[in-house]
Amino acid sequence: LLQVASPEATAIELVGYQKHAGGLDNVATVLSELAETLSSSMLAEEATRFPVAWAQRLGYLLDLVEQYSVTGLLLEFVEARARRIAPLEAALPRKGAPRSQKWKLAINSEVEPDL
């Protein structure tokens, strides 16, 4: 039996393994195209299987590429679970970076998707 990841799991894993996916610019570009196949409820359900910071980053990037229609339940998940500000770019410091209060993120990296 061949197991294939759902679009929602793929979206979360792209954010979680951003270096292996070509960096945040590339992840945001892929998300802009993948978003049309995402289910808001499935996205929130999949988020429970991964670190909450991945959901925070995913929500921010989906907003960045203007895919607001799939982030509603993900935002509810983040509001209920995120206890601290996470860095957008995990490998970079968050000190002094602007904040996204909505996603509880330190925006410590500029993301420029190819749209």
Side-chain angles (χ1 to χ4, degrees), residues 6-80:
S6 68
E8 294 79 12
T10 299
I12 294 170
E13 289 176 351
L14 282 170
V15 172
Y17 300 109
Q18 57 192 258
K19 286 194 183 291
H20 300 291
L24 285 175
D25 294 345
N26 192 51
V27 169
T29 300
V30 172
L31 288 174
S32 71
E33 298 169 12
L34 184 63
E36 65 190 41
T37 67
L38 298 177
S39 155
S40 182
S41 60
M42 290 293 294
L43 201 55
E45 184 178 323
E46 281 293 332
T48 65
R49 298 181 19 195
F50 298 94
V52 69
W54 293 15
Q56 290 168 263
R57 294 177 185 122
L58 176 58
Y60 175 81
L61 292 174
L62 286 169
D63 277 0
L64 184 71
V65 296
E66 301 180 353
Q67 298 296 327
Y68 310 107
S69 64
V70 296
T71 60
L73 295 174
L74 189 63
L75 180 58
E76 289 180 19
F77 171 81
V78 166
E79 289 172 339

